[in-house]
Amino acid sequence: MKSFDVPIIYRSPLITAIKKKRKEQDKMKKDFTPTLLDFGPLQIYLARHFGFCYGVENAIEIAFRTVDENPGKRIFLLSEMIHNPQVNADLQAHGVQFMQDNYGKQLIPFDTLSPHDIVIIPAFGTTLELEERLNKIGIPTEKYDTTCPFVEKVWNRSEQIAKKNYTVIIHGKPKHEETRATFSHAAFFTPAVIIKDKDHAVELAKYIKGEKPPAQFYEEFKGQYSDDFSVTNDLQRIGVVNQTTMLASDTQAIADYLKQVMIEKYKLTIGNVEERFADTRDTLCYATLENQQAVSGMLQTNADLAIVVGGYNSSNTSHLVELCEEKLPTYFISSEEKILSAKEILHYNFHTKEEILTQYFLPDKNPVKILITSGASCPDALVEGVINKLEKNFAITRSHEELIKKFIV
Ligand code: SF4
């Protein structure tokens, strides 16, 4: 895969060496066992895959290059570049301004823009409506478009389904930028509905099966269906696509469930189910799948706890947390600063959306085994910072430098 020029401050010598060595040993990416960093009383198991993905590195490279090549110009980002506070703060420090917050709330009015300004489209992509609005102002959107090719792949899949007259069901977080963009692209061609989880799919199925009054749909799915959506006509042929960062098992369960609903409702068989249900494989991206598989791999280790590093509003990171939580105490932190001491950690509970303080998070035993991973928008330097901070809490018998040598030879 192409390599990108991202600022060195996001890289980590230790993690770069580890990733390089693992890649050489496992070119086909079949091995999901974690890498053991044995510091003696502290044993860290690093996930086989984590950190910056293709789309994030591509977006960061384009954004910083745009800043370098356009001194004196006003540069805006439609919304957060990616869901990582450090990267976003760095861009703002370089003079880049965000036009909207993560929920689409306008921070800078569009009518303050002029054709001389640059507006960067973030990695999640954007809606056709916003693109059109910018073009009308005289701002070309193609030149500074960092939309990830894996997001565009979902749009292409939606278009293919649409051309065969299926309605597109989008499994995604209704307010997430990527889901809003995918919805806009799908709805341009065909009726579209967003569902956020399996429960939502079950409720949608009640309209397909005629178990709920159609009129109720418009209230229940408010803001999540395309204009002129007809609940009686537009749920007769469907296909499912996903936000690229959903939990693989959820996505599969939803597609299987809706397929079964169509089979029962229209008395179909596996052989002719395509008459009503488009044959789509999931549209999760490679990074989402690899990172989730790597978490499953590291959960085979008999560890004491897991630390997941990433932005609190990052969808792919929260799914890694969800997987870890099923097995062991898990702490979702945005940087090493959240490890306050050997006793205390400040971490994010994404279910209640609040940061909480936990005491005695490190067990009193020797060795302590900790699993570590991070989301696709998290710089490796932050993960190395977390490792450094943990090292300080133990009388380690092996230094960082010794470990790096092990991975370089
Ligand atoms: S998580 Fe996947 S879809 Fe999103 S930017 Fe990264 S590679 Fe692209």
Side-chain angles (χ1 to χ4, degrees), residues 53-56 123 148 150-151 178 244-245 285-288 316 376:
C53 58
Y54 180 100
V56 164
C148 177
F150 294 95
V151 173
E178 183 193 317
T244 54
T245 50
C285 77
Y286 84 96
T288 296
N316 77 85

Side-chain angles (χ1 to χ4, degrees), residues 4-60:
F4 296 94
D5 181 18
V6 302
I8 192 79
I9 50 159
Y10 298 145
R11 304 285 190 205
S12 142
L14 174 66
I15 291 169
T16 301
I18 293 171
K19 285 185 173 175
K20 189 164 173 278
K21 179 123 184 173
R22 292 291 309 256
K23 201 168 155 190
E24 284 163 9
Q25 292 169 338
D26 174 33
K27 291 200 171 67
M28 301 306 288
K29 298 183 169 182
K30 298 256 188 244
D31 178 7
F32 293 103
T33 54
T35 305
L36 171 63
L37 304 183
D38 188 354
F39 293 102
L42 168 66
Q43 295 191 346
I44 287 176
Y45 289 85
L46 260 187
R48 167 71 177 93
H49 299 285
F50 62 93
F52 279 176
C53 58
Y54 180 100
V56 164
E57 293 214 348
N58 178 45
I60 291 174

Side-chain angles (χ1 to χ4, degrees), residues 125-367:
T126 192
T127 62
L128 292 169
E129 297 75 23
L130 275 183
E131 252 181 49
E132 194 187 336
R133 198 158 179 187
L134 291 169
N135 291 338
K136 270 193 187 148
I137 296 169
I139 297 175
T141 41
E142 327 78 61
K143 193 166 174 197
Y144 302 104
D145 184 357
T146 77
T147 306
C148 177
F150 294 95
V151 173
E152 284 175 339
K153 204 170 138 191
V154 184
W155 300 349
N156 294 338
R157 184 74 60 86
S158 304
E159 191 180 331
Q160 284 162 9
I161 298 174
K163 284 185 175 155
K164 293 180 185 164
N165 299 320
Y166 293 99
T167 289
V168 175
I169 312 290
I170 302 157
H171 171 216
K173 297 184 176 173
K175 291 187 177 165
H176 192 283
E177 294 98 320
E178 183 193 317
T179 295
R180 291 206 310 266
T182 297
F183 175 73
S184 156
H185 283 256
F188 181 76
F189 295 104
T190 193
V193 190
I194 303 172
I195 52 170
K196 70 174 191 298
D197 53 24
K198 176 81 185 291
D199 289 348
H200 231 176
V202 170
E203 293 313 310
L204 183 71
K206 290 181 184 165
Y207 295 102
I208 295 174
K209 294 190 272 187
E211 292 173 3
K212 272 185 160 181
Q216 202 175 318
F217 169 87
Y218 300 100
E219 188 53 39
E220 192 175 348
F221 285 83
K222 198 172 175 184
Q224 291 169 219
Y225 57 85
S226 51
D227 291 347
D228 304 323
F229 192 91
S230 162
V231 69
T232 42
N233 297 331
D234 294 336
L235 291 173
Q236 297 183 11
R237 269 170 75 81
I238 60 170
V240 181
V241 299
N242 333 100
Q243 185 181 319
T244 54
T245 50
M246 301 309 273
L247 197 57
S249 51
D250 282 358
T251 279
Q252 192 57 48
I254 286 172
D256 290 347
Y257 171 74
L258 288 175
K259 186 176 188 174
Q260 192 54 35
V261 167
M262 297 310 265
I263 287 175
E264 286 168 20
K265 161 86 182 168
Y266 293 101
K267 314 227 173 330
L268 302 169
T269 62
I270 290 296
N272 64 1
V273 65
E274 266 201 66
E275 286 174 17
R276 301 279 176 176
F277 189 82
D279 181 21
T280 54
R281 276 181 297 132
D282 68 56
T283 49
L284 301 172
C285 77
Y286 84 96
T288 296
L289 285 172
E290 284 179 1
N291 291 355
Q292 290 177 10
Q293 285 168 324
V295 165
S296 302
M298 77 178 186
L299 287 172
Q300 306 297 319
T301 312
N302 63 337
D304 301 299
L305 61 125
I307 292 179
V308 181
V309 194
Y312 293 161
N313 55 352
S314 160
S315 168
N316 77 85
T317 314
S318 64
H319 292 311
L320 303 180
V321 175
E322 219 173 326
L323 290 172
C324 291
E325 277 179 346
E326 285 174 12
K327 271 272 190 81
L328 73 182
T330 300
Y331 303 98
F332 181 7
I333 60 175
S334 55
S335 75
E336 79 271 12
E337 285 166 20
K338 303 295 174 181
I339 302 174
L340 305 179
S341 68
K343 292 198 182 82
E344 292 182 319
I345 189 165
L346 203 52
H347 58 104
Y348 188 65
N349 181 331
F350 78 92
H351 307 283
T352 58
K353 304 205 180 321
E354 58 184 355
E355 219 172 25
I356 50 176
L357 182 74
T358 293
Q359 297 200 318
Y360 304 106
F361 77 105
L362 293 175
D364 185 14
K365 66 190 274 281
N366 188 348

